[in-house]
Amino acid sequence: MKWTQLIPFLRFLKRNKLYTSISVIGLGIGMASCILISLYINYESSYDHFHEKKERIYRLTSKLDFNGVIDAALTNLPTGPTLLNDYPEVESFVRFRRFGNEAQLKVNQQIHPTPHVWLVDSSVFNIFSYPMLIGNPQTALVNPNSMVINQSTANRLFENGDAFGKTIQINNSVYEVTGIIQDIPHQSDIQINALISMSSLPQRFMDAHNQDWFRIGFYTYLLFKHPVDIPNFEGKLIDFEKKYVQPWSSENQIEASLTYAITPITELHFDNTKEYDQPKGNKTYLLIFSILAIFLLLISVINYVNLNLAQGSKRAKEVGVRKSSGAQQSEIFRQFISESFLLSLFALWVGILFVWASLPFFNRIIQVQLSMRELISPAFVIVALVIFVVVTLLANSYPALLLSRLNPIQVLKGTSNKGTDTRKLNNSLLFIQFLFSLFMISGTLMVQKQMDFISEYSLGFNKDQIVSIQIPSDTTIRNQITPWLSTLESQENVIATSQTRMPNGDNTGQLMFRVEQDEKMVEQTINYIFVDDQFMDVLGLNMEAGRNFDPNIATDQQQAFIVNKTAAEAFGWYNESLDKRIQWGLLPNGQAEHDGKVIGVVDDFTFQSLHTELAPLVLCYNPRGGNSLAIRFNTSELQPEITKIQSKWNELAGGFPMQYGVLSTSISNNYQTERRMQDVLTYFSYIAIALALVGLFALVTYSLQRRWKEIGLRKILGANNTQLAWLIGQQFGILLLAASVVASPLAWYVLQDWLHGFAYKTTMGILPFLTAIAVLGGLSVITISYHVWNMSRMDPVDALRSE
């Protein structure tokens, strides 16, 4: 494009600042939205892709069926080494076992609570790409009481990060730091602060796990010599189970089954099917966000096209003059494409600025750590350039082609009627914008309704005003916990205390029980919680029948059980539950370490998240054996009470920090994924609404330009503003109504499918859909009113003289 051709374009932009700004900003925001969502999708899709051997690494999982299925991410201890010994395609294995939820690392008499501490085999560095900064990866975790920590932990625990060769105490054991690894990326399903050699486990622990094929507790990863055919190898795992597990089951008189499966490490992040697994991503949400990105970009392109068409008529005479002077259609087409390319390039810079400004907020709502550096990665730059070129061509080709084909004689005579040719297209584009906006608004409102339902749902106990405190593994502290709790109970605002971990939705386990059914003992996998006699008082639970555990009855710890009503019904006991027999810690020949009877039935309460239907539950008596304690207060002002407890805790625990949490907050954390989706939908709903209104603004502008003389004539004949508003707005009202008819059932179907992920859910109702229509309708009225106000100020004679 020549400089002389650029001058008229710049003058045109100067005369039409408002429309130019709306065009550029709208397209820029659409590009920014697409970039933000693309960054998030790329972040979620790249989990564990940093491992050099990722194509050959698979995780082994097990499914146990004891009259109740446990599809677990865990395996038992001997599976990995046995597979290595029996199958030549297996090159190596590594097992991970969590070292508690949080380890208390003691350095120079100072305690450092540290999560993500694991017991692992020494082969971990042969399989995973955890770069060793200091130390020998081949020998670092061979010897007992060896520990490898990451750089951040080394800097936190030791001055200048000088940790190699130093010692760290955990509980009553001392570990030597034999290596320091680089901090691993956030996109790893297993986060690591410290690794402890598996050989540090007591031999009696190893023997107990090696002798029991059904005692699962380890994440097992296999490294194959070559990528494997998954169905083929899982067929071999069936033979493996027949060779080792079935004979052991028969020998121990256990009627159960165990099956194995493998999953490529690159696919683990989206595998939500396993119990006892690390937090996972949701592939459905990625699909939703991908569609969201495409639609937001499409809407911004539609707006850009409509605004270009709306402003194109102002340059029609310029085209006519140039064509009359001998300019060819191809030359004019290239000129308009070049001009639009410059605007699109400026829109891209606006979009990048928008990404830069909104990235901290976006990171906060989706809880990740995206950075602008990821925008300059080669793969992302290539994708961005492709998107930019495609968007530029889509947004600019049609308006440029339409203008370049104008008949110069008709244009100079003022008789060009090309606007009629694009009316149907413009209406169709606005219909798509309305449709998407209505879907976004109603979807956001429906998600909000479900989250409100969850927060207000009765869990069967009082979750408020309860504080949980983690008990350190230190023996001295544990011996003093009981008298310490007694002193707390004398405080003014303390109602009850319990040395039990409260049911926050993710901390219940499953055990193999034998329960009495039809006069015989049947083995079943059942949910359980170890509790003390104060557990029910803290939660405010109600006994349906029988009694609570009693510390004065010596046999309760070995021979007493309490079940919930759901268990009583599931086992066929109903109102005859008391004195029914239960066993756990099962031994051969019908024997068990704990063999007793049901002493009580408690009303049902929700001990898992609302994603899961209420299941049978057994409460086992374990006084003073819990790893945490709970305190119920009679005041909602918890912080002053926590401050009081803090001072008493310092007297009890010395250098151990008080790690506490509020139960209601812990329960709410079960729905972080849904809240994240809600926040993202809300964020982009605002953008979708803004873009839809820009589209409406463009189309109303275009409509007014086409009907300029008609409106002037109507004003001369006495039409008032209300009549003009109706004249302009009725076609858009019809489009909004038509979009509502399509969007409402579509949103209902998608949201109904989403709600299936909850065992307990709200009713759909029509209010979210009506609200969406009302919101978009109201904003449309405001937009149209703005144009009517502008029309009221014009002189109708100018419209009749315009040509």
Side-chain angles (χ1 to χ4, degrees):
M1 183 173 60
K2 299 177 182 177
W3 173 253
T4 54
Q5 296 172 348
L6 184 61
I7 294 175
F9 175 59
L10 295 176
R11 289 173 179 169
F12 172 78
L13 296 182
K14 186 177 180 181
R15 288 195 304 267
N16 297 273
K17 297 185 185 70
L18 175 62
Y19 294 98
T20 301
S21 301
I22 291 175
S23 296
V24 171
I25 293 174
L27 186 59
I29 289 176
M31 289 181 175
S33 301
C34 192
I35 290 172
L36 284 171
I37 295 175
S38 298
L39 284 173
Y40 174 63
I41 292 173
N42 179 67
Y43 180 93
E44 286 287 302
S45 302
S46 59
Y47 263 72
D48 289 311
H49 282 246
F50 63 90
H51 297 295
E52 294 178 3
K53 302 175 183 178
K54 61 181 181 293
E55 302 298 333
R56 298 189 284 132
I57 302 173
Y58 298 75
R59 188 180 69 176
L60 185 69
T61 58
S62 52
K63 181 185 290 186
L64 292 78
D65 188 354
F66 295 99
N67 289 323
V69 176
I70 304 176
D71 192 359
L74 305 170
T75 68
N76 62 330
L77 186 64
T79 307
T82 309
L83 287 171
L84 177 64
N85 184 67
D86 285 14
Y87 296 93
E89 60 263 50
V90 179
E91 180 178 321
S92 186
F93 71 90
V94 62
R95 297 162 296 187
F96 286 76
R97 182 177 176 85
R98 190 185 297 277
F99 197 94
N101 289 327
E102 200 166 49
Q104 308 292 327
L105 276 56
K106 189 174 184 180
V107 177
N108 297 327
Q109 302 305 311
Q110 186 173 356
I111 307 299
H112 302 270
T114 305
H116 310 309
V117 177
W118 300 88
L119 290 149
V120 297
D121 292 298
S122 59
S123 57
V124 62
F125 300 113
N126 295 329
I127 298 176
F128 294 107
S129 300
Y130 300 146
M132 184 78 76
L133 301 177
I134 303 175
N136 185 342
Q138 303 302 319
T139 60
L141 292 174
V142 171
N143 296 324
N145 291 63
S146 300
M147 174 186 283
V148 172
I149 60 178
N150 67 352
Q151 184 69 67
S152 294
T153 303
N155 293 336
R156 184 164 56 91
L157 269 58
F158 297 92
E159 186 176 355
N160 299 321
D162 184 19
F164 187 75
K166 303 293 178 59
T167 60
I168 297 175
Q169 182 177 341
I170 306 178
N171 302 332
N172 298 318
S173 299
V174 177
Y175 300 88
E176 180 185 358
V177 178
T178 54
I180 301 175
I181 60 173
Q182 182 179 305
D183 291 353
I184 65 173
H186 293 286
Q187 295 103 308
S188 174
D189 270 330
I190 293 184
Q191 288 297 309
I192 294 172
N193 285 320
L195 299 173
I196 297 173
S197 57
M198 188 73 73
S199 58
S200 305
L201 286 170
Q203 189 59 47
R204 64 180 182 278
F205 177 93
M206 301 289 284
D207 291 341
H209 279 264
N210 273 316
Q211 296 166 10
D212 188 342
W213 283 92
F214 291 126
R215 184 174 290 189
I216 61 175
F218 299 83
Y219 297 100
T220 301
Y221 292 83
L222 302 176
L223 176 66
F224 289 87
K225 294 177 181 177
H226 305 283
V228 297
D229 179 85
I230 293 177
N232 178 266
F233 189 77
E234 288 182 344
K236 295 181 180 181
L237 290 174
I238 295 175
D239 297 332
F240 176 84
E241 192 266 346
K242 290 178 180 178
K243 180 179 179 180
Y244 292 101
V245 181
Q246 288 187 13
W248 180 85
S249 299
S250 300
E251 181 183 342
N252 290 276
Q253 300 179 351
I254 297 176
E255 296 181 8
S257 66
L258 175 60
T259 56
Y260 296 99
I262 58 173
T263 307
I265 191 173
T266 53
E267 298 178 11
L268 281 181
H269 185 59
F270 298 110
D271 184 1
N272 289 285
T273 62
K274 309 301 179 185
E275 299 179 60
Y276 310 111
D277 207 350
Q278 304 301 303
K280 298 296 182 185
N282 191 313
K283 213 163 192 174
T284 301
Y285 289 168
L286 286 195
L287 177 61
I288 291 173
F289 293 153
S290 299
I291 295 172
L292 181 61
I294 293 171
F295 268 97
L296 286 171
L297 189 59
L298 179 61
I299 285 178
S300 64
V301 169
I302 289 171
N303 287 342
Y304 189 80
V305 170
N306 281 341
L307 281 165
N308 273 357
L309 291 174
Q311 295 301 297
S313 60
K314 295 182 180 180
R315 303 190 68 184
K317 287 190 177 182
E318 176 192 337
V319 174
V321 170
R322 291 199 59 204
K323 277 198 167 186
S324 299
S325 302
Q328 299 296 314
Q329 177 179 332
S330 59
E331 181 183 349
I332 295 174
F333 178 80
R334 286 195 301 272
Q335 176 194 343
F336 282 114
I337 280 289
S338 300
E339 292 173 356
S340 298
F341 177 81
L342 292 176
L343 278 181
S344 298
L345 189 61
F346 189 59
L348 177 61
W349 282 109
V350 170
I352 292 174
L353 287 174
F354 184 84
V355 170
W356 174 78
S358 60
L359 198 56
F361 174 73
F362 189 68
N363 280 335
R364 193 161 55 251
I365 64 174
I366 63 175
Q367 299 176 14
V368 297
Q369 296 183 17
L370 303 175
S371 69
M372 293 295 290
R373 288 193 302 272
E374 296 175 55
L375 290 177
I376 60 175
S377 64
F380 199 87
V381 168
I382 292 172
V383 172
L385 286 175
V386 171
I387 292 175
F388 174 72
V389 171
V390 171
V391 167
T392 300
L393 292 176
L394 284 176
N396 300 306
S397 296
Y398 181 71
L401 181 63
L402 198 64
L403 286 171
S404 66
R405 293 175 62 186
L406 289 174
N407 187 309
I409 297 176
Q410 289 182 338
V411 169
L412 295 175
K413 284 183 176 181
T415 58
S416 177
N417 197 32
K418 286 292 181 183
T420 305
D421 299 335
T422 61
R423 188 182 307 172
K424 290 183 179 180
L425 173 63
N426 290 332
N427 287 340
S428 300
L429 296 179
L430 185 61
F431 171 81
I432 294 173
Q433 291 177 309
F434 279 159
L435 178 68
F436 181 69
S437 299
L438 289 168
F439 182 86
M440 289 291 296
I441 299 170
S442 58
T444 302
L445 293 173
M446 194 62 219
V447 172
Q448 177 64 52
K449 187 178 181 184
Q450 173 64 13
M451 300 315 294
D452 290 342
F453 173 84
I454 288 172
S455 63
E456 297 169 2
Y457 185 82
S458 175
L459 301 177
F461 62 88
N462 189 348
K463 64 181 179 180
D464 299 316
Q465 303 168 355
I466 297 178
V467 174
S468 293
I469 302 175
Q470 187 71 27
I471 303 175
S473 300
D474 185 85
T475 305
T476 303
I477 296 176
R478 285 184 172 274
N479 291 336
Q480 298 175 12
I481 280 292
T482 300
W484 186 76
L485 280 177
S486 299
T487 62
L488 285 185
E489 290 171 355
S490 63
Q491 284 191 194
E492 178 183 359
N493 291 321
V494 174
I495 297 177
T497 65
S498 172
Q499 193 173 332
T500 305
R501 188 177 179 189
M502 294 292 103
N504 61 13
D506 69 346
N507 60 353
T508 54
Q510 292 179 310
L511 279 176
M512 183 64 181
F513 288 86
R514 291 193 191 105
V515 297
E516 181 181 345
Q517 288 182 268
D518 299 325
E519 300 182 354
K520 64 179 181 179
M521 299 300 290
V522 178
E523 294 180 351
Q524 291 194 35
T525 303
I526 308 171
N527 293 282
Y528 73 96
I529 302 177
F530 287 116
V531 304
D532 62 10
D533 51 285
Q534 299 297 313
F535 173 76
M536 295 189 188
D537 292 335
V538 170
L539 288 181
L541 298 177
N542 179 55
M543 291 294 295
E544 177 75 13
R547 64 175 178 85
N548 192 7
F549 296 116
D550 191 336
N552 297 316
I553 300 178
T555 57
D556 270 11
Q557 189 166 350
Q558 294 289 327
Q559 301 176 11
F561 300 93
I562 296 175
V563 299
N564 65 352
K565 288 177 63 177
T566 296
E569 294 172 0
F571 302 154
W573 298 340
Y574 300 104
N575 296 325
E576 299 177 355
S577 302
L578 299 182
D579 295 329
K580 294 294 184 182
R581 190 179 175 193
I582 294 182
Q583 295 176 326
W584 77 271
L586 305 185
L587 301 172
N589 302 317
Q591 302 301 308
E593 296 176 2
H594 296 261
D595 190 339
K597 296 182 178 181
V598 175
I599 64 168
V601 179
V602 65
D603 278 344
D604 283 334
F605 63 95
T606 303
F607 57 91
Q608 296 172 309
S609 78
L610 296 179
H611 296 97
T612 308
E613 288 189 11
L614 194 63
L617 176 69
V618 177
L619 301 182
C620 305
Y621 190 36
N622 187 29
R624 297 178 299 280
N627 294 322
S628 63
L629 56 90
I631 308 167
R632 168 175 288 286
F633 298 94
N634 62 3
T635 174
S636 58
E637 298 295 329
L638 293 180
Q639 195 55 52
E641 303 302 324
I642 292 172
T643 302
K644 294 178 185 176
I645 295 174
Q646 180 76 65
S647 61
K648 292 181 178 295
W649 176 266
N650 294 337
E651 297 173 3
L652 166 74
F656 287 90
M658 188 176 83
Q659 298 174 265
Y660 68 91
V662 179
L663 180 59
S664 57
T665 302
S666 299
I667 292 173
S668 178
N669 289 339
N670 290 311
Y671 312 102
Q672 285 184 346
T673 301
E674 288 77 16
R675 295 190 191 283
R676 191 181 309 139
M677 179 184 177
Q678 176 190 351
D679 291 340
V680 171
L681 285 176
T682 302
Y683 180 75
F684 287 109
S685 288
Y686 291 140
I687 294 177
I689 292 170
L691 292 176
L693 292 178
V694 168
L696 179 63
F697 184 91
L699 200 52
V700 172
T701 302
Y702 189 46
S703 177
L704 287 176
Q705 289 176 354
R706 287 190 294 104
R707 306 175 69 175
W708 189 244
K709 281 190 175 182
E710 176 192 346
I711 292 171
L713 186 58
R714 288 178 179 273
K715 288 194 70 175
I716 290 174
L717 296 176
N720 57 35
N721 287 343
T722 303
Q723 292 170 324
L724 292 176
W726 173 253
L727 173 69
I728 299 168
Q730 58 182 336
Q731 72 179 80
F732 305 112
I734 293 172
L735 285 175
L736 178 59
L737 183 61
S740 304
V741 171
V742 176
S744 297
L746 179 62
W748 184 91
Y749 175 80
V750 173
L751 292 168
Q752 195 70 37
D753 184 65
W754 175 73
L755 286 173
H756 281 319
F758 294 88
Y760 303 93
K761 47 186 174 285
T762 185
T763 55
M764 186 72 73
I766 63 171
L767 186 59
F769 308 107
L770 294 179
T771 304
I773 296 169
V775 168
L776 198 56
L779 293 173
S780 299
V781 168
I782 294 173
T783 304
I784 294 171
S785 298
Y786 167 79
H787 285 85
V788 172
W789 178 74
N790 272 341
M791 284 190 305
S792 68
R793 301 164 60 200
M794 81 170 191
D795 187 344
V797 177
D798 292 338
L800 298 178
R801 287 176 176 173
S802 62
E803 296 177 354

